[in-house]
Amino acid sequence: MTERTTETEITFTYPFHLESLSEPLEAGTYRLVVDEELIEGLSFTAYRRVATHLEIPAISVAINRRQFLQVSQQEIDAALESDGTGQDDAPRDFS
């Protein structure tokens, strides 16, 4: 089966929260990695998403060790939408 991986960068202006983490992540630019596999047997080229990962911490953080957190596209979309409106489920501390 043919697979492809796409990497994009997404930026959060405010700290944001993901369901799989107990603490919010800091604002910044993060790498989003999407793995897809070719759907065979069609008369046109189409891919199915098989995994979405967010690389943490943010790209700007100088660190030797990075982690890939499996997330859903819906969770990322919701976090980006909340960030765009300046709202999030997690409380913010601006002190």
Side-chain angles (χ1 to χ4, degrees), residues 7-83:
E7 294 183 8
T8 57
E9 294 179 359
I10 55 175
T11 301
F12 291 93
T13 306
Y14 302 100
F16 63 101
H17 187 265
L18 297 175
E19 294 176 17
S20 55
L21 297 175
S22 58
E23 296 292 321
L25 293 170
E26 294 181 15
T29 300
Y30 290 80
R31 184 170 291 116
L32 188 68
V33 180
V34 176
D35 295 326
E36 299 171 305
E37 65 183 11
L38 180 66
I39 301 173
E40 296 182 14
L42 300 176
S43 60
F44 55 92
T45 303
Y47 287 85
R48 169 185 20 249
R49 183 181 307 238
V50 292
T52 303
H53 294 89
L54 185 68
E55 184 178 321
I56 55 176
I59 294 171
S60 62
V61 176
I63 191 167
N64 292 332
R65 193 173 192 186
R66 298 194 172 271
Q67 296 178 347
F68 284 92
L69 177 66
Q70 187 164 357
V71 295
S72 71
Q73 186 63 47
Q74 294 80 9
E75 186 174 24
I76 292 297
D77 291 343
L80 286 168
E81 183 177 339
S82 293
D83 188 67

